[in-house]
Amino acid sequence: FPDFARRARRLLDAGDASKLLALADARIKEAPGDPFAHWYRAQAAQRLGDLASALLSIHRAGELSPHWRENFIEPFVRT
């Protein structure tokens, strides 16, 4: 997990949404219960203009980590 998070953060910071989406999708296949993978997938999908997919991913992250809703999920949904 720490390696995934480091790589995902670097890709997000670099603005490489396509690679981030591929990385998050691979992580979700490997660990479907990882809320970070779904959160990063939402970030990538939003940047690529796939808002429907971004919303599905962010809601899944919220289901997996309900305590994220106020600080991470709701602000994302409002943007």
Side-chain angles (χ1 to χ4, degrees):
F1 164 74
D3 184 51
F4 164 76
R6 270 193 303 277
R7 291 175 58 203
R9 184 82 234 171
R10 273 196 301 262
L11 291 171
L12 183 64
D13 290 345
D16 198 338
S18 295
K19 285 184 182 175
L20 178 57
L21 184 65
L23 179 68
D25 282 341
R27 176 67 181 167
I28 289 167
K29 285 181 184 170
E30 176 185 302
D34 180 356
F36 290 96
H38 294 277
W39 187 86
Y40 278 111
R41 189 184 192 293
Q43 299 297 320
Q46 180 188 42
R47 284 161 176 74
L48 292 169
D50 187 353
L51 300 182
S53 181
L55 287 172
L56 287 172
S57 295
I58 202 70
H59 283 297
R60 183 66 182 134
E63 290 170 359
L64 293 167
S65 286
H67 62 283
W68 286 10
R69 288 190 190 277
E70 185 177 336
N71 293 323
F72 301 106
I73 308 305
E74 294 306 322
F76 182 92
V77 171
R78 286 192 296 266
T79 61

